[in-house]
Each structure stands twice: as C-alpha cells, then as structure tokens.
Amino acid sequence: MGKPASIFVCQSCGSVHGKWAGRCDACGEWNVLVEEVPSRHAPRKTGRKKVRGIDFVGLSGEAVDPPRLSTGIEEFNRVTGGGLVPGSALLIGGDPGIGKSTLLLQMAGHMALGGLKTAYISGEEAPAQVKRRARRLGLIDAPVNLAAETALGPILDGLTAEKPDVVIIDSIQTMWTDQLGAAPGTVAQVRACSQELTRYAKKTGACMLLVGHVTKDGQIAGPRVVEHMVDAVLYFEGDRGGQFRILRAHKNRFGPTDEIGVFEMGAAGLSEVENPSALFLDGRGEAASGAAVFAGLEGTRPVLTEIQALVAPAAFGTPRRAVVGWDSGRLAMVLAVLEARCGVSFGGKDVYLNVAGGLKIGEPAADLAVAAALASSVFDTPLPADCVVFGEISLSGDVRQASRTDARLKEAAKLGFKRALAPPPKTNKKDMPAHQLPIISISTLPDLITRVQAMSGG
Ligand code: TYD
Ligand code: MG
C-alpha cells in the first residue's frame, strides 16, 4: 500500500477538498484549507462471514425518562432540562474569558461534594492554576480529580481506570490523538477527539462535558462538526466587561432549548441570579427619552429588559445602523415600517439600538418595544417610567398578540410597573385576573406614535 494521499480540510466548515486552494468552495472563506494526512490505520478487513443483524423494537411500550444528575447549580439544571444525563455528551461554547472554566469547575466542585466522582481535565492550564481558582471559589476541599493533559490516549486510559461519573474536558480544541497526522486544533483533530470522548461517554455511562471556544463570528471554532455529535450544545454568553453571564441551550436532545440560566460574575466566581428582571433593570434612573422596558419571555421565564435607542443626525456619509443584543435585519424592518406607515423619517440619521445588560433578544414580541424606544428618541419624549411594552409588528403596521401575555404582565406587576403598552387582549376585560396590569391597547403602529406624541404634549 502506498503513502495515503493528502486531503485538504476547511477549518471553517469542515468540508474536504482534493487539492489546496486559497478559498473554500463550500463556505467561501479564504485561507482556511489545511493539509491533513488521513489516518494511518486503514480500516481492518474482517473475514467474518456471518454478521448479526440489528434488533428492532416498536414505538409503544415503556419509555423511561433518563435519570438526571443534579449539577448543584439550579440555573445550570434548568438549562439542561433538569440536570446532566448519564451517558451523554454536552458541548459548552463561549468566547475565551467568558467564564466557562469557572462555571465547570464550580459545577465539578458541587457534584464532587455531593458524592459523585468527577474528573476535570485541563488542556490549557497547569494544575496549580486550576487549584488557585478552586481556592478563590472556596472549593479546595472538593474531591475533584484534576489532571493537565492534552493527549487523548492517556486521558482515555486514565478515565477507564478511574471510572468517573462526570468528565470535563477543557477545552476540546487543545486535545489531540496520535491516530491522525493533523496538528492539534484542526477540524480533523477536534472531530476525532470529540468522537472518541462521546463514544467513551456512551459506553461507560459517564457525563461528558466538552468546552469549546467560539470564534468572533459566533461559531465554535472549527467544530460545527462537533455540534451534531453531542447530545446538547450550550452557549455561555454575556458582555465580557459586564458582570452578567447567560447560559443558553442551543440544542438539547433531553430537554427544551429556550431556557436560559443567568449568572453574575463576582470576586468568588459565578453566582446564580434568581430574579433576572431586577438585575437587568438595576440602575435605571429617571425616565429618559429613547428607553423602553420590554416584557419578554426566555423559555418559561418572563424577563424584563430595557431597550435603548438613539436617533441622531448622521455626521457624514451613509447613516449608521448599530445594534447590540438584537437582530439588525429586524431593526431595518421596524425602521421601514415606521417610515412607510407612520411617516417617521430616518433618512440622514444614525440609529443606535442597545439591549441593556448584555442579553440577546430573539423574540419578535420585542418589535413594539423597539419601535417605542425609537419613537421616544425621535420625538425626544420619555415614556412613562412605570410602563412596559411588548407586541409583534407586521409589515402592514398592525401589532400582533404576543404569547403568554399574562405571564409578562404578572412579572411586570411584581416589579412595580403599573401599565403596559401592548396589543388589545383577546379576553374580555372582566375575564382578566384582578391582579393584572391594565393594558393601553396599541393595535397599529400609528396608534403608538399618537400615544408617544401625546405624552410630549402633557
Ligand atoms: P474563565 O473561566 O477562565 O474563562 P474561559 O474558561 O471561558 O476562558 O474566566 C476568566 C475570567 O473570569 C477572568 O477574566 C477572571 C474572571 N473571574 C472572576 O471575575 N472571578 C472569579 O472568581 C474567577 C475564577 C474568574
Ligand atoms: Mg478556560
């Protein structure tokens, strides 16, 4: 057998090419093809004649829910759908420095103190560094098995001998296997190592947690290939300067994907935030123009956040549209509807939009709150400080119902808000629970503009 021919693998999308090129045909990225020598171990030809077939079962019959191991961190449990599932693999992605190692060390500490056998394998930090962090987190007494290693072979041997219930690999990008000619950190290595580790988890019933660094455009570097291998993908996000961190499920084979966990980074590590609304609205001063409080939903939990807009004359050239925490395409749509249906012009003006606290909002129900913040900035009229806003805007300028209105209103009432700007509820007024906030009905976008303009009048 001759020398195996090299292949060229795109480090961005994982596609394989026969020859080198400056640009990947599949994803269009430049300078991402890396040469790899395929596995030296060709698949063995088995001389077996008789192969046992697979056994089929029906859909009916008993299906037990998977058992769960509590992480000892309530917010983490919520995002995973009730805790870690034995025999599953989970990927935790996030920007470098966001707090992934801190979160997982805290989790390992709690689980170890709860009597589970945990192994923390660091490919990035020396044991002394991890110990120093554990001291800072108040976890030096937790019986976590710690190792610093990047070679997959010794790691798997060690795990097979030690048989831990929970394994943390920090990070998957530092792992490498000598079965491949590729350099550590390449897509091929990340894929091969993830596959081996996932297989180990399935075989032994351990919980495998893989840490993955995300590149600046939001992709886990290289391993989009890992995402489909693991049972759950969680992202740890937040703004690095601020102290809030949000854990969000992106994929979950054992639970919902719309729950979030909210944490606060402090001097002694991450602490759980039970009431995120109060945290996101903390520091809100006197009502200022351009701010609107959005009554949103994150999974089952209502979360209130402040949306800030600033509309200012453009200094020069093309006006800027800058958005933090919301979809810029959605902003363009709201601006277009405001122009077309309400005659509010944004030509020649810069528009800035910010969701306070570092939360990323994906709900269409935020449309009306964004429009209210924009209108408030354009007319330089503060919205009442005791008012929340929600509703989805259609291209015709109509405002549509948002889901679970009552949960949003209840949360707003709990935090001391007195009214809501929202589409008229379907239920009769007298059917509404007595504790509910009064709704100021906004059924079209022009209604909203009239409301905001009237506020400036008095
Ligand atoms: P780390 O968990 O190392 O991030 P990642 O593994 O995602 O790269 O977190 C690093 C940051 O967290 C670092 O900038 C310091 C900060 N930090 C605290 O503020 N308090 C703490 O108790 C700890 C351990 C870290
Ligand atoms: Mg780390």
Side-chain angles (χ1 to χ4, degrees), residues 237-265:
E237 55 191 41
D239 107 61
R240 263 190 69 176
Q243 71 271 43
F244 316 129
R245 300 285 185 273
I246 292 149
L247 188 66
R248 195 188 283 277
H250 179 70
K251 153 182 174 178
N252 192 352
R253 286 187 185 146
F254 304 112
T257 54
D258 51 0
E259 292 289 353
I260 62 167
V262 184
F263 298 88
E264 194 172 357
M265 180 66 97

PDB file of all heavy atoms in Angstrom, residues 237-265:
ATOM      1  N   GLU A 237     -22.772  33.136  27.276  1.00  0.00           N
ATOM      2  CA  GLU A 237     -22.580  34.432  26.623  1.00  0.00           C
ATOM      3  C   GLU A 237     -22.744  35.561  27.625  1.00  0.00           C
ATOM      4  O   GLU A 237     -23.092  35.340  28.782  1.00  0.00           O
ATOM      5  CB  GLU A 237     -23.571  34.589  25.468  1.00  0.00           C
ATOM      6  CG  GLU A 237     -25.020  34.406  25.890  1.00  0.00           C
ATOM      7  CD  GLU A 237     -25.996  34.304  24.736  1.00  0.00           C
ATOM      8  OE1 GLU A 237     -25.702  33.642  23.743  1.00  0.00           O
ATOM      9  OE2 GLU A 237     -27.079  34.887  24.861  1.00  0.00           O
ATOM     10  N   GLY A 238     -22.505  36.749  27.169  1.00  0.00           N
ATOM     11  CA  GLY A 238     -22.611  37.905  28.043  1.00  0.00           C
ATOM     12  C   GLY A 238     -21.592  38.894  27.573  1.00  0.00           C
ATOM     13  O   GLY A 238     -20.787  38.599  26.695  1.00  0.00           O
ATOM     14  N   ASP A 239     -21.633  40.074  28.171  1.00  0.00           N
ATOM     15  CA  ASP A 239     -20.637  41.003  27.674  1.00  0.00           C
ATOM     16  C   ASP A 239     -19.475  40.989  28.644  1.00  0.00           C
ATOM     17  O   ASP A 239     -19.666  40.992  29.860  1.00  0.00           O
ATOM     18  CB  ASP A 239     -21.326  42.342  27.370  1.00  0.00           C
ATOM     19  CG  ASP A 239     -21.026  43.423  28.340  1.00  0.00           C
ATOM     20  OD1 ASP A 239     -19.849  43.738  28.431  1.00  0.00           O
ATOM     21  OD2 ASP A 239     -21.958  43.943  28.968  1.00  0.00           O
ATOM     22  N   ARG A 240     -18.282  40.813  28.133  1.00  0.00           N
ATOM     23  CA  ARG A 240     -17.133  40.498  28.982  1.00  0.00           C
ATOM     24  C   ARG A 240     -16.844  41.556  30.020  1.00  0.00           C
ATOM     25  O   ARG A 240     -16.354  41.264  31.099  1.00  0.00           O
ATOM     26  CB  ARG A 240     -15.888  40.274  28.120  1.00  0.00           C
ATOM     27  CG  ARG A 240     -15.640  38.825  27.853  1.00  0.00           C
ATOM     28  CD  ARG A 240     -14.302  38.638  27.229  1.00  0.00           C
ATOM     29  NE  ARG A 240     -13.242  38.916  28.164  1.00  0.00           N
ATOM     30  CZ  ARG A 240     -11.966  38.766  27.903  1.00  0.00           C
ATOM     31  NH1 ARG A 240     -11.600  38.345  26.734  1.00  0.00           N
ATOM     32  NH2 ARG A 240     -11.058  39.029  28.790  1.00  0.00           N
ATOM     33  N   GLY A 241     -17.139  42.817  29.672  1.00  0.00           N
ATOM     34  CA  GLY A 241     -16.896  43.896  30.619  1.00  0.00           C
ATOM     35  C   GLY A 241     -17.888  43.841  31.777  1.00  0.00           C
ATOM     36  O   GLY A 241     -17.553  44.096  32.921  1.00  0.00           O
ATOM     37  N   GLY A 242     -19.147  43.486  31.453  1.00  0.00           N
ATOM     38  CA  GLY A 242     -20.195  43.470  32.471  1.00  0.00           C
ATOM     39  C   GLY A 242     -20.120  42.230  33.323  1.00  0.00           C
ATOM     40  O   GLY A 242     -19.334  41.329  33.054  1.00  0.00           O
ATOM     41  N   GLN A 243     -20.972  42.163  34.350  1.00  0.00           N
ATOM     42  CA  GLN A 243     -20.860  41.002  35.234  1.00  0.00           C
ATOM     43  C   GLN A 243     -21.902  39.931  34.961  1.00  0.00           C
ATOM     44  O   GLN A 243     -21.871  38.891  35.579  1.00  0.00           O
ATOM     45  CB  GLN A 243     -20.885  41.441  36.714  1.00  0.00           C
ATOM     46  CG  GLN A 243     -22.214  41.935  37.241  1.00  0.00           C
ATOM     47  CD  GLN A 243     -22.392  43.427  37.030  1.00  0.00           C
ATOM     48  OE1 GLN A 243     -22.075  43.978  35.981  1.00  0.00           O
ATOM     49  NE2 GLN A 243     -22.922  44.096  38.027  1.00  0.00           N
ATOM     50  N   PHE A 244     -22.846  40.165  34.027  1.00  0.00           N
ATOM     51  CA  PHE A 244     -23.864  39.139  33.780  1.00  0.00           C
ATOM     52  C   PHE A 244     -23.387  38.124  32.769  1.00  0.00           C
ATOM     53  O   PHE A 244     -22.723  38.455  31.802  1.00  0.00           O
ATOM     54  CB  PHE A 244     -25.159  39.750  33.232  1.00  0.00           C
ATOM     55  CG  PHE A 244     -25.583  40.975  33.925  1.00  0.00           C
ATOM     56  CD1 PHE A 244     -25.891  42.113  33.215  1.00  0.00           C
ATOM     57  CD2 PHE A 244     -25.659  41.000  35.308  1.00  0.00           C
ATOM     58  CE1 PHE A 244     -26.257  43.268  33.872  1.00  0.00           C
ATOM     59  CE2 PHE A 244     -26.036  42.140  35.955  1.00  0.00           C
ATOM     60  CZ  PHE A 244     -26.329  43.281  35.236  1.00  0.00           C
ATOM     61  N   ARG A 245     -23.770  36.885  33.028  1.00  0.00           N
ATOM     62  CA  ARG A 245     -23.477  35.811  32.083  1.00  0.00           C
ATOM     63  C   ARG A 245     -24.756  35.025  31.858  1.00  0.00           C
ATOM     64  O   ARG A 245     -25.487  34.766  32.809  1.00  0.00           O
ATOM     65  CB  ARG A 245     -22.417  34.861  32.648  1.00  0.00           C
ATOM     66  CG  ARG A 245     -21.091  35.517  32.964  1.00  0.00           C
ATOM     67  CD  ARG A 245     -20.310  35.818  31.689  1.00  0.00           C
ATOM     68  NE  ARG A 245     -18.998  36.332  32.008  1.00  0.00           N
ATOM     69  CZ  ARG A 245     -18.718  37.614  32.218  1.00  0.00           C
ATOM     70  NH1 ARG A 245     -19.679  38.514  32.143  1.00  0.00           N
ATOM     71  NH2 ARG A 245     -17.494  37.999  32.490  1.00  0.00           N
ATOM     72  N   ILE A 246     -24.980  34.633  30.632  1.00  0.00           N
ATOM     73  CA  ILE A 246     -26.201  33.892  30.316  1.00  0.00           C
ATOM     74  C   ILE A 246     -25.849  32.558  29.687  1.00  0.00           C
ATOM     75  O   ILE A 246     -25.077  32.501  28.734  1.00  0.00           O
ATOM     76  CB  ILE A 246     -27.104  34.728  29.395  1.00  0.00           C
ATOM     77  CG1 ILE A 246     -27.630  35.920  30.186  1.00  0.00           C
ATOM     78  CG2 ILE A 246     -28.279  33.900  28.899  1.00  0.00           C
ATOM     79  CD1 ILE A 246     -27.873  37.121  29.382  1.00  0.00           C
ATOM     80  N   LEU A 247     -26.388  31.497  30.242  1.00  0.00           N
ATOM     81  CA  LEU A 247     -26.193  30.155  29.696  1.00  0.00           C
ATOM     82  C   LEU A 247     -27.460  29.810  28.929  1.00  0.00           C
ATOM     83  O   LEU A 247     -28.562  29.908  29.466  1.00  0.00           O
ATOM     84  CB  LEU A 247     -25.963  29.170  30.841  1.00  0.00           C
ATOM     85  CG  LEU A 247     -25.545  27.762  30.457  1.00  0.00           C
ATOM     86  CD1 LEU A 247     -24.160  27.765  29.818  1.00  0.00           C
ATOM     87  CD2 LEU A 247     -25.513  26.867  31.689  1.00  0.00           C
ATOM     88  N   ARG A 248     -27.268  29.425  27.659  1.00  0.00           N
ATOM     89  CA  ARG A 248     -28.428  29.220  26.804  1.00  0.00           C
ATOM     90  C   ARG A 248     -28.270  27.906  26.060  1.00  0.00           C
ATOM     91  O   ARG A 248     -27.197  27.612  25.552  1.00  0.00           O
ATOM     92  CB  ARG A 248     -28.468  30.367  25.796  1.00  0.00           C
ATOM     93  CG  ARG A 248     -29.755  30.544  25.063  1.00  0.00           C
ATOM     94  CD  ARG A 248     -29.558  31.576  23.984  1.00  0.00           C
ATOM     95  NE  ARG A 248     -29.529  32.947  24.450  1.00  0.00           N
ATOM     96  CZ  ARG A 248     -30.626  33.675  24.682  1.00  0.00           C
ATOM     97  NH1 ARG A 248     -31.794  33.146  24.530  1.00  0.00           N
ATOM     98  NH2 ARG A 248     -30.523  34.919  25.071  1.00  0.00           N
ATOM     99  N   ALA A 249     -29.343  27.114  26.004  1.00  0.00           N
ATOM    100  CA  ALA A 249     -29.273  25.852  25.262  1.00  0.00           C
ATOM    101  C   ALA A 249     -29.520  26.138  23.783  1.00  0.00           C
ATOM    102  O   ALA A 249     -30.418  26.874  23.415  1.00  0.00           O
ATOM    103  CB  ALA A 249     -30.309  24.884  25.794  1.00  0.00           C
ATOM    104  N   HIS A 250     -28.674  25.552  22.945  1.00  0.00           N
ATOM    105  CA  HIS A 250     -28.762  25.769  21.512  1.00  0.00           C
ATOM    106  C   HIS A 250     -29.339  24.513  20.872  1.00  0.00           C
ATOM    107  O   HIS A 250     -30.024  24.555  19.872  1.00  0.00           O
ATOM    108  CB  HIS A 250     -27.350  26.058  21.015  1.00  0.00           C
ATOM    109  CG  HIS A 250     -27.218  26.277  19.564  1.00  0.00           C
ATOM    110  ND1 HIS A 250     -27.710  27.395  18.947  1.00  0.00           N
ATOM    111  CD2 HIS A 250     -26.655  25.524  18.601  1.00  0.00           C
ATOM    112  CE1 HIS A 250     -27.447  27.314  17.658  1.00  0.00           C
ATOM    113  NE2 HIS A 250     -26.816  26.192  17.417  1.00  0.00           N
ATOM    114  N   LYS A 251     -29.012  23.392  21.492  1.00  0.00           N
ATOM    115  CA  LYS A 251     -29.549  22.098  21.069  1.00  0.00           C
ATOM    116  C   LYS A 251     -29.611  21.250  22.323  1.00  0.00           C
ATOM    117  O   LYS A 251     -28.731  21.346  23.166  1.00  0.00           O
ATOM    118  CB  LYS A 251     -28.588  21.479  20.060  1.00  0.00           C
ATOM    119  CG  LYS A 251     -28.617  19.970  19.992  1.00  0.00           C
ATOM    120  CD  LYS A 251     -27.621  19.426  19.011  1.00  0.00           C
ATOM    121  CE  LYS A 251     -27.596  17.914  19.101  1.00  0.00           C
ATOM    122  NZ  LYS A 251     -26.678  17.314  18.137  1.00  0.00           N
ATOM    123  N   ASN A 252     -30.672  20.452  22.454  1.00  0.00           N
ATOM    124  CA  ASN A 252     -30.776  19.605  23.635  1.00  0.00           C
ATOM    125  C   ASN A 252     -31.639  18.399  23.311  1.00  0.00           C
ATOM    126  O   ASN A 252     -32.819  18.544  23.045  1.00  0.00           O
ATOM    127  CB  ASN A 252     -31.362  20.411  24.801  1.00  0.00           C
ATOM    128  CG  ASN A 252     -31.222  19.677  26.113  1.00  0.00           C
ATOM    129  OD1 ASN A 252     -30.822  18.518  26.139  1.00  0.00           O
ATOM    130  ND2 ASN A 252     -31.537  20.341  27.205  1.00  0.00           N
ATOM    131  N   ARG A 253     -31.041  17.221  23.312  1.00  0.00           N
ATOM    132  CA  ARG A 253     -31.821  16.027  22.999  1.00  0.00           C
ATOM    133  C   ARG A 253     -32.677  15.583  24.169  1.00  0.00           C
ATOM    134  O   ARG A 253     -33.526  14.730  24.020  1.00  0.00           O
ATOM    135  CB  ARG A 253     -30.883  14.873  22.608  1.00  0.00           C
ATOM    136  CG  ARG A 253     -30.307  15.056  21.232  1.00  0.00           C
ATOM    137  CD  ARG A 253     -29.521  13.850  20.771  1.00  0.00           C
ATOM    138  NE  ARG A 253     -28.894  14.132  19.495  1.00  0.00           N
ATOM    139  CZ  ARG A 253     -27.713  13.660  19.119  1.00  0.00           C
ATOM    140  NH1 ARG A 253     -27.035  12.888  19.936  1.00  0.00           N
ATOM    141  NH2 ARG A 253     -27.215  13.952  17.948  1.00  0.00           N
ATOM    142  N   PHE A 254     -32.436  16.146  25.354  1.00  0.00           N
ATOM    143  CA  PHE A 254     -33.159  15.686  26.540  1.00  0.00           C
ATOM    144  C   PHE A 254     -34.011  16.771  27.180  1.00  0.00           C
ATOM    145  O   PHE A 254     -34.474  16.605  28.287  1.00  0.00           O
ATOM    146  CB  PHE A 254     -32.173  15.172  27.594  1.00  0.00           C
ATOM    147  CG  PHE A 254     -31.278  14.088  27.085  1.00  0.00           C
ATOM    148  CD1 PHE A 254     -29.922  14.322  26.918  1.00  0.00           C
ATOM    149  CD2 PHE A 254     -31.792  12.862  26.763  1.00  0.00           C
ATOM    150  CE1 PHE A 254     -29.095  13.333  26.448  1.00  0.00           C
ATOM    151  CE2 PHE A 254     -30.971  11.863  26.289  1.00  0.00           C
ATOM    152  CZ  PHE A 254     -29.618  12.091  26.120  1.00  0.00           C
ATOM    153  N   GLY A 255     -34.166  17.894  26.510  1.00  0.00           N
ATOM    154  CA  GLY A 255     -34.944  18.948  27.161  1.00  0.00           C
ATOM    155  C   GLY A 255     -35.203  20.094  26.215  1.00  0.00           C
ATOM    156  O   GLY A 255     -34.868  20.035  25.040  1.00  0.00           O
ATOM    157  N   PRO A 256     -35.814  21.154  26.732  1.00  0.00           N
ATOM    158  CA  PRO A 256     -36.146  22.299  25.880  1.00  0.00           C
ATOM    159  C   PRO A 256     -34.897  23.100  25.528  1.00  0.00           C
ATOM    160  O   PRO A 256     -33.862  22.964  26.175  1.00  0.00           O
ATOM    161  CB  PRO A 256     -37.071  23.130  26.763  1.00  0.00           C
ATOM    162  CG  PRO A 256     -36.646  22.811  28.148  1.00  0.00           C
ATOM    163  CD  PRO A 256     -36.153  21.395  28.135  1.00  0.00           C
ATOM    164  N   THR A 257     -34.986  23.929  24.488  1.00  0.00           N
ATOM    165  CA  THR A 257     -33.809  24.721  24.114  1.00  0.00           C
ATOM    166  C   THR A 257     -34.032  26.206  24.352  1.00  0.00           C
ATOM    167  O   THR A 257     -33.220  27.012  23.944  1.00  0.00           O
ATOM    168  CB  THR A 257     -33.466  24.547  22.637  1.00  0.00           C
ATOM    169  OG1 THR A 257     -34.630  24.849  21.890  1.00  0.00           O
ATOM    170  CG2 THR A 257     -32.979  23.179  22.313  1.00  0.00           C
ATOM    171  N   ASP A 258     -35.148  26.557  24.977  1.00  0.00           N
ATOM    172  CA  ASP A 258     -35.359  28.003  25.088  1.00  0.00           C
ATOM    173  C   ASP A 258     -35.154  28.530  26.503  1.00  0.00           C
ATOM    174  O   ASP A 258     -35.430  29.682  26.783  1.00  0.00           O
ATOM    175  CB  ASP A 258     -36.746  28.379  24.558  1.00  0.00           C
ATOM    176  CG  ASP A 258     -37.831  27.529  25.194  1.00  0.00           C
ATOM    177  OD1 ASP A 258     -37.484  26.675  26.033  1.00  0.00           O
ATOM    178  OD2 ASP A 258     -39.002  27.717  24.863  1.00  0.00           O
ATOM    179  N   GLU A 259     -34.656  27.683  27.401  1.00  0.00           N
ATOM    180  CA  GLU A 259     -34.445  28.162  28.762  1.00  0.00           C
ATOM    181  C   GLU A 259     -33.097  28.881  28.868  1.00  0.00           C
ATOM    182  O   GLU A 259     -32.149  28.521  28.187  1.00  0.00           O
ATOM    183  CB  GLU A 259     -34.441  26.975  29.737  1.00  0.00           C
ATOM    184  CG  GLU A 259     -35.780  26.296  29.878  1.00  0.00           C
ATOM    185  CD  GLU A 259     -36.790  27.133  30.634  1.00  0.00           C
ATOM    186  OE1 GLU A 259     -36.417  28.197  31.172  1.00  0.00           O
ATOM    187  OE2 GLU A 259     -37.957  26.730  30.677  1.00  0.00           O
ATOM    188  N   ILE A 260     -33.019  29.866  29.742  1.00  0.00           N
ATOM    189  CA  ILE A 260     -31.720  30.471  29.995  1.00  0.00           C
ATOM    190  C   ILE A 260     -31.380  30.366  31.479  1.00  0.00           C
ATOM    191  O   ILE A 260     -32.266  30.246  32.316  1.00  0.00           O
ATOM    192  CB  ILE A 260     -31.645  31.956  29.560  1.00  0.00           C
ATOM    193  CG1 ILE A 260     -32.624  32.824  30.339  1.00  0.00           C
ATOM    194  CG2 ILE A 260     -31.856  32.101  28.080  1.00  0.00           C
ATOM    195  CD1 ILE A 260     -32.359  34.312  30.169  1.00  0.00           C
ATOM    196  N   GLY A 261     -30.103  30.387  31.763  1.00  0.00           N
ATOM    197  CA  GLY A 261     -29.634  30.463  33.142  1.00  0.00           C
ATOM    198  C   GLY A 261     -28.869  31.771  33.261  1.00  0.00           C
ATOM    199  O   GLY A 261     -28.073  32.098  32.391  1.00  0.00           O
ATOM    200  N   VAL A 262     -29.120  32.511  34.317  1.00  0.00           N
ATOM    201  CA  VAL A 262     -28.461  33.811  34.458  1.00  0.00           C
ATOM    202  C   VAL A 262     -27.505  33.774  35.648  1.00  0.00           C
ATOM    203  O   VAL A 262     -27.857  33.288  36.724  1.00  0.00           O
ATOM    204  CB  VAL A 262     -29.501  34.939  34.636  1.00  0.00           C
ATOM    205  CG1 VAL A 262     -28.833  36.291  34.681  1.00  0.00           C
ATOM    206  CG2 VAL A 262     -30.522  34.893  33.520  1.00  0.00           C
ATOM    207  N   PHE A 263     -26.300  34.243  35.416  1.00  0.00           N
ATOM    208  CA  PHE A 263     -25.268  34.243  36.453  1.00  0.00           C
ATOM    209  C   PHE A 263     -24.657  35.627  36.567  1.00  0.00           C
ATOM    210  O   PHE A 263     -24.712  36.426  35.642  1.00  0.00           O
ATOM    211  CB  PHE A 263     -24.143  33.271  36.102  1.00  0.00           C
ATOM    212  CG  PHE A 263     -24.571  31.841  36.006  1.00  0.00           C
ATOM    213  CD1 PHE A 263     -25.044  31.327  34.814  1.00  0.00           C
ATOM    214  CD2 PHE A 263     -24.494  31.014  37.114  1.00  0.00           C
ATOM    215  CE1 PHE A 263     -25.437  30.010  34.722  1.00  0.00           C
ATOM    216  CE2 PHE A 263     -24.887  29.692  37.031  1.00  0.00           C
ATOM    217  CZ  PHE A 263     -25.361  29.188  35.835  1.00  0.00           C
ATOM    218  N   GLU A 264     -24.041  35.853  37.713  1.00  0.00           N
ATOM    219  CA  GLU A 264     -23.321  37.102  37.914  1.00  0.00           C
ATOM    220  C   GLU A 264     -21.891  36.732  38.279  1.00  0.00           C
ATOM    221  O   GLU A 264     -21.659  35.911  39.163  1.00  0.00           O
ATOM    222  CB  GLU A 264     -23.990  37.872  39.050  1.00  0.00           C
ATOM    223  CG  GLU A 264     -23.544  39.300  39.134  1.00  0.00           C
ATOM    224  CD  GLU A 264     -24.366  40.092  40.142  1.00  0.00           C
ATOM    225  OE1 GLU A 264     -25.321  39.522  40.726  1.00  0.00           O
ATOM    226  OE2 GLU A 264     -24.029  41.255  40.347  1.00  0.00           O
ATOM    227  N   MET A 265     -20.912  37.318  37.560  1.00  0.00           N
ATOM    228  CA  MET A 265     -19.502  37.025  37.852  1.00  0.00           C
ATOM    229  C   MET A 265     -19.016  37.972  38.933  1.00  0.00           C
ATOM    230  O   MET A 265     -19.110  39.192  38.783  1.00  0.00           O
ATOM    231  CB  MET A 265     -18.679  37.193  36.570  1.00  0.00           C
ATOM    232  CG  MET A 265     -17.202  36.910  36.725  1.00  0.00           C
ATOM    233  SD  MET A 265     -16.802  35.199  37.101  1.00  0.00           S
ATOM    234  CE  MET A 265     -16.386  34.544  35.489  1.00  0.00           C
TER     235      MET A 265
END
